[in-house]
Amino acid sequence: MTSRPARSLTRLGRWAARSAAVLLVAAGSLVAVAAPASAAGGYLYTTFKGDGAADQELWVYQSTDGSNFTTYADTNYQGPSGVLRDPSIIQLNGVYFIAYTVQSWTTNSTYFNVASSTNLTSWTHVASVNSGIADTKFTWAPEFYVEGGTVRIIASIAQTTCSNCFRPYVYTAQNSALTSWSGPAQMGGLGFNHIDTYVVKSGSTYHAFAKNETSKYIEHWTSASLSSGWTLAATLWTSGYEDRPWCSRPTGSGASTSTSTPTAASGRRPAPTSTTGPA
């Protein structure tokens, strides 16, 4: 989570958005995501617009190809804290859920929130999930990760007792309503001072894509376990890029998760190539 202004989607970002969709198919992701053009329900992308009070609210974008997005709705939803940033979205059994940061990047936050909707425009608060980490300073960018029937959220936590010490922690839903959560469980070995961690699984290998908040590069990490044994596989995109999620929108029930694509540095805000008014 950063404070940089939004920018247009670069050629690299557009290429990576397409590549990520294909990668999920090749990797046998938990979500049956076809190539973008043939996805039955298209794609959804949730975000916020900036650091101003009126901009820290939920916006929903839609796409038929995973590359060109148009505005679906400015929901005006800001959650109980009046601040909504970094939303991650899934669809679970016909209900949409978002997890999001509850304060600006300059304000301490010790928890993240979860909200639900059946229509993408009207949202209801579901849960506030405490970090569970002593001396928490920031709780940023909660990202959904669904494996089988298990729904997890990976959040970036920093403490007041150290400097530049963000670490990813896993929280696990205890019911299908996502009102109760266990955790935290640290993703052991996944570096020091990493944010915006997003995970996919290919075969028996977990792949994590995280922004190194010190070098400002996106890194690729791998492990045989979600909770331990992470090793650095590669440094990917150059400084000034962040990962960002979007979500397949199936017409049936089941679970669909956000997918992570690198785009131009934009503080995890939208960078659609075209927009229209809210639907």
Side-chain angles (χ1 to χ4, degrees), residues 31-261:
V31 185
V33 182
S38 61
Y43 296 85
L44 294 173
Y45 175 56
T46 53
T47 191
F48 69 108
K49 284 207 162 184
D51 294 330
D55 294 327
Q56 298 181 110
E57 62 185 25
L58 180 66
W59 283 73
V60 181
Y61 290 81
Q62 63 183 349
S63 173
T64 58
D65 60 10
S67 179
N68 299 289
F69 284 80
T70 58
T71 305
Y72 183 83
D74 172 10
T75 69
N76 296 311
Y77 184 72
Q78 294 181 309
S81 70
V83 173
L84 185 152
R85 301 170 69 96
D86 312 326
S88 173
I89 186 170
I90 61 170
Q91 186 190 57
L92 183 64
N93 299 322
V95 179
Y96 294 98
F97 291 91
I98 56 169
Y100 60 93
T101 304
V102 300
Q103 295 294 346
S104 76
W105 64 283
T106 59
T107 304
N108 289 13
S109 54
T110 60
Y111 64 95
F112 61 85
N113 278 348
V114 178
S116 67
S117 175
T118 57
N119 59 14
L120 293 171
T121 56
S122 300
W123 292 84
T124 301
H125 178 70
V126 169
S128 293
V129 184
N130 289 324
S131 74
I133 304 298
D135 303 309
T136 294
K137 182 176 183 179
F138 296 121
T139 304
W140 283 3
E143 295 280 3
F144 280 108
Y145 173 64
V146 180
E147 183 174 0
T150 302
V151 178
R152 297 183 176 93
I153 286 175
I154 301 169
S156 304
I157 311 296
Q159 296 171 278
T160 60
T161 54
C162 54
S163 178
N164 300 321
C165 58
F166 276 100
R167 295 184 178 93
Y169 289 88
V170 180
Y171 301 80
T172 303
Q174 301 299 290
N175 56 40
S176 60
L178 308 192
T179 57
S180 178
W181 295 80
S182 67
Q186 187 177 346
M187 295 175 65
L190 203 156
F192 196 72
N193 206 29
H194 287 74
I195 65 171
D196 303 345
T197 301
Y198 187 82
V199 172
V200 295
K201 190 177 184 182
S202 175
S204 59
T205 302
Y206 293 91
H207 299 262
F209 301 88
K211 178 189 176 186
N212 185 318
E213 188 65 353
T214 301
S215 69
K216 309 300 182 182
Y217 281 64
I218 293 178
E219 297 175 347
H220 174 202
W221 293 72
T222 60
S223 177
S225 168
L226 184 62
S227 60
S228 63
W230 288 96
T231 59
L232 181 62
T235 297
L236 302 178
W237 292 279
T238 57
S239 182
Y241 285 79
E242 290 189 350
D243 60 335
R244 79 174 53 239
W246 41 263
C247 172
S248 64
R249 188 182 184 186
T251 55
S253 61
S256 63
T257 63
S258 56
T259 64
S260 180
T261 62

